[in-house]
Amino acid sequence: QVATVSEPILAVANALANIDVFSSLAELAVRYSYVRPELTEDNRININQGRHPVVERSLVDSSFVPNDTYLSNDDAQLIVLTGPNMSGKSTYLRQVAIIVLLAQIGSFVPVASATIGLVDRVFTRIGAREDLVAGQSTFMVEMVETANILNNAAPRSLIILDEIGRGTSTYDGLSIARAVAEYIHNYPGLGAKTLFATHYHEMVELASFLPRVKNFNVAVIEEAGKVIFLYKILPGGVDKSYGIHVAQLAGLPKSVVYRAREVLVELEEDSGKALAKPSPKGRRRPEEVPQQLLLLGQKSPLLEKLEKLEIDALTPLEAINKLYELQKKAREG
Ligand SMILES: Nc1ncnc2c1ncn2[C@@H]1O[C@H](COP(=O)(O)OP(=O)(O)OP(=O)(O)O)[C@@H](O)[C@H]1O
Ligand SMILES: [Mg+2]
């Protein structure tokens, strides 16, 4: 008997589910002061005083610090976000993704105001997950997910990358992180808006030669040997991690923290020495000798050619042809 009226029952259930979703979204919006975002078809995401809807509710004895976001395919395509451990990088990345998602499902959003250029997909690479049953280690999962993003993202997509490369050795990790960022910026037809949180301070350099990369950092202040987290996103990069400070907060035994500080000093001294180290026997190796000594102030014709090249106007094929041409000239001297 019930089966004979299954269709109207399902229709009612469907209607109730819709009402449930929309009334919940409406209640949230009223209760927590969400506002109506403006949805546009251009290539910009502009968030004024955005908040993370879950983290802001979970804080008991402090209040959530809102932050702005500006992403644009034209001038701020890839944001490199640096900042100490525990400073709020992951929270910020997720908050941007959640705000965009909420806006696109028709919800109000936790911001003061926001203009969201529609995105076609949100890609995320966050956290350390492993799938031992499927034979995938943490790092393997990280790389599989990254590959999926690079192979499928488009200019209209939003990409959230949280600490790519963290799962492997420093140099491998940094190299991969940097290559991934360069690819997202340079690969024709990709160009997706991207937030890239990283603990590799070297990533900050990218902004000096990739025009659509912008650096931001999460502010902290050091006072009387203590680190105070401000959770404010500011323009520019940082060069300190405070990882040992966080380890101490977490309750690692005092002797471990003390020893970690010692080791850090040793390592930093060593890397300083390595940089200053002269080449073997204080002489230049033969391959390092410039092929052609130019008179002071005189620029090589090859460099001039390179300087005038309008890379943005070249197709990949033309670019590689130019490269061959320049190499040929260089070899001929
Ligand atoms: N905007 C904010 N306002 C207030 N508190 C915040 C804010 N953002 C983050 N926090 C607090 O800081 C904690 C750590 O944040 P989060 O995990 O984002 O740091 P992280 O920089 O990603 O750290 P890690 O480098 O260790 O991954 C959060 O759990 C939250 O309690
Ligand atoms: Mg994090």
Side-chain angles (χ1 to χ4, degrees), residues 72-80 150 153 155 159 161 177-194 196 203 206-214 311-312:
S72 154
N73 286 48
D74 306 323
D75 52 11
Q77 182 211 332
L78 194 149
I79 288 177
V80 172
L150 297 186
I159 305 180
L161 300 173
R178 185 165 158 165
V180 165
E182 288 177 1
Y183 185 85
I184 292 173
H185 182 280
N186 295 338
Y187 192 74
L190 185 60
K193 287 181 273 300
T194 306
F196 198 137
M203 291 281 289
L206 284 176
S208 64
F209 60 94
L210 298 180
R212 295 184 304 282
V213 173
K214 298 284 174 278
I311 295 175
D312 282 345

Side-chain angles (χ1 to χ4, degrees), residues 50-52 55-56 58-59 62-67 83-95 162-163 166 197 199 218 229-233 241 246:
R51 287 137 32 216
H52 189 300
V55 177
E56 83 163 333
S58 70
L59 299 175
S62 59
S63 52
F64 192 85
V65 179
N67 277 301
N85 292 110
M86 276 291 284
S87 61
K89 299 183 296 298
S90 301
T91 307
Y92 179 71
L93 257 53
R94 287 167 207 226
Q95 116 187 2
D162 197 354
E163 310 266 16
R166 193 179 217 175
H199 60 287
V218 202
F229 297 106
L230 300 180
Y231 307 112
K232 199 76 203 159
I233 311 286
S241 291
V246 173

Side-chain angles (χ1 to χ4, degrees), residues 21-77:
V21 168
F22 293 119
S23 65
S24 300
L25 291 178
E27 189 185 332
L28 266 181
V30 173
R31 212 190 267 189
Y32 304 126
S33 320
Y34 291 7
V35 305
R36 179 175 173 168
E38 188 189 336
L39 293 176
T40 71
E41 286 189 14
D42 55 47
N43 260 326
R44 271 186 291 278
I45 293 176
N46 206 344
I47 296 171
N48 178 14
Q49 309 260 303
R51 287 137 32 216
H52 189 300
V54 181
V55 177
E56 83 163 333
R57 302 264 56 83
S58 70
L59 299 175
V60 255
D61 41 32
S62 59
S63 52
F64 192 85
V65 179
N67 277 301
D68 300 343
T69 308
Y70 174 72
L71 280 163
S72 154
N73 286 48
D74 306 323
D75 52 11
Q77 182 211 332

